[in-house]
């Protein structure tokens, strides 16, 4: 669900019209008499009270108010005032994004009603309200199609088949032809999957083509499958992804180099850092694959400000440290992630760790309960397989340390291997 605020920044007293857009493109218009002073909590309540949506009180815990653009995404705290955040948006972009001056001037953020990053997946899996599940499905589908939830090619096909059934109804061979899906392919698969599929020119139109794979999945869904089960099946798959329900941060990491001189000629790799209540994940922004994924019990982190803050290209960073075994010796690896959003990442990681501590005290051993309730799994539908692939070297869920510039420390804290800019440190 997306909320667009058409704000007249010069008018701080006049009523504001708020247009609420669901990710399904459904729109709701709201009128806020004192819109400039409306808090995120009050705006959320206005959305929830809209009769056509029919959301239950539980939705106040599941969803939150965000302000986002292609450069910056922020979940607002309950007391934040969206009008004030919008008025200061250019300042926030200058501080927390790498947008240039022209991009800052043209940027138009949206206020979004989307999943609360602090809402636990364990609690989400207990939800039965179809209206809440539909909103979660729409958001999960958006993240899948944007490539923010990397998964295997066969998984994308399976999800596309579920989506087709949900949106098109039962399979009809006369309507749902390869030509039909070829002309709508971007609605069912992420761009990086489409570009890879179309690069295999010899396979276009054959059994291995993207449209043929979607049709195969689509037609395999039992005719008696209900919408509720299909929505839940889609979400169950997404719940199996460790980075489900994350906040995303635009960042960059150094490419590995073979010599000290080559560090000057290799641009940094753009990455998305995905942070949720389970851990931190560094994803290649182009290839849409996980380079490094660490749960909170596997990592230590630190935030560092740039040594020359007045220089635009000198960015703050987050250090991610984790244990590894190398040549039979236990060592520590450290990845340096550069981002103007490092302070935001540091704050979110700290909040997630504190939340884990609170939940551990509250639930105790229940924190280790199985991810899925077997009674919810419909054996007639496609089985969940992604979780079992995490140890496969070529899996999108496997760490790819060879593609990262890492420093290595022994158990005494001595740096025994340096790469990239680490090579210049003492």
């Amino acid at each position: 669900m997306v909320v667009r605020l058409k704000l007249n920044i010069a008018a701080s007293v006049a009523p504001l019209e708020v247009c609420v857009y669901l990710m399904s493109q459904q729109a709701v218009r709201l009128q806020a008499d004192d819109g400039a002073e409306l808090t995120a909590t009050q705006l959320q309540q206005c959305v929830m009270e809209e009769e056509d949506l029919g959301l239950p009180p539980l939705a106040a815990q599941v969803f939150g108010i965000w302000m986002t653009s292609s450069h910056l995404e922020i979940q607002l705290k309950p007391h934040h005032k969206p009008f004030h955040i919008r008025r200061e948006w250019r300042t926030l972009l200058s501080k927390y994004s790498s947008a240039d001056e022209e991009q800052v001037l043209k940027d138009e953020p949206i206020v979004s009603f989307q999943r609360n990053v602090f809402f636990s997946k364990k609690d989400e899996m207990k939800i039965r309200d179809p209206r809440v599940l539909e909103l979660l499905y729409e958001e999960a589908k958006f993240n899948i199609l944007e490539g923010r939830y990397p998964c295997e090619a066969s998984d994308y096909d399976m999800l596309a088949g579920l989506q087709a059934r949900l949106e098109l109804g039962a399979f009809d061979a006369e309507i749902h032809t390869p030509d039909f899906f070829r002309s709508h392919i971007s609605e069912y698969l992420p761009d990086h999957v489409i570009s890879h599929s179309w690069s295999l020119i010899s396979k276009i139109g054959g059994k291995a083509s993207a449209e043929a794979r979607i049709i195969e999945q689509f037609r395999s869904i039992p005719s008696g499958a209900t919408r509720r089960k299909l929505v839940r099946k889609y979400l169950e798959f997404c719940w199996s992804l460790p980075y489900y329900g994350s906040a995303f941060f635009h960042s960059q990491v150094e490419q590995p180099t073979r010599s000290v001189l080559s560090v000057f000629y290799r641009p940094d790799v753009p990455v998305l850092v995905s942070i949720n209540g389970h851990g931190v994940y560094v994803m290649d922004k182009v290839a849409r694959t996980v380079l490094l994924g660490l749960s909170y019990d596997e990592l230590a982190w630190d935030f560092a400000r740039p040594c020359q803050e007045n220089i635009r290209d000198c960015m703050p960073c987050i250090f991610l440290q984790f244990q590894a075994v190398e040549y039979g010796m236990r060592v520590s690896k450290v990845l340096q992630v550069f981002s103007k959003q490092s302070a935001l990442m540091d704050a979110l990681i700290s909040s997630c760790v504190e939340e884990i501590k609170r939940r551990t005290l509250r639930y105790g051993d229940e924190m280790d309960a199985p991810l899925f309730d077997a009674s919810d799994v419909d054996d007639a539908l496609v089985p969940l397989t992604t979780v079992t692939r995490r140890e496969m070297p070529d899996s999108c869920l496997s760490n790819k340390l060879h593609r990262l510039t890492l420093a290595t420390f022994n158990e005494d804290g001595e740096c025994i291997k340096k790469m990239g800019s680490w090579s210049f440190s003492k």
Side-chain angles (χ1 to χ4, degrees), residues 65 94 97 101 113 115 157 216 239 253 257 298 369 381 385:
I65 298 294
S94 298
S97 83
E101 186 175 347
F113 184 77
R115 191 185 186 282
D157 296 340
E216 181 183 359
W239 291 334
V253 297
T257 57
E298 297 175 307
L381 298 178
T385 56

Side-chain angles (χ1 to χ4, degrees), residues 321-326 328-333 408-416:
Q321 180 179 2
F322 57 97
Q323 299 292 316
V325 176
E326 198 168 72
M329 179 175 64
R330 183 171 293 279
V331 296
S332 292
K333 298 282 187 178
T408 306
F409 297 82
N410 63 20
E411 291 183 304
D412 296 325
E414 299 173 323
C415 187
I416 58 176

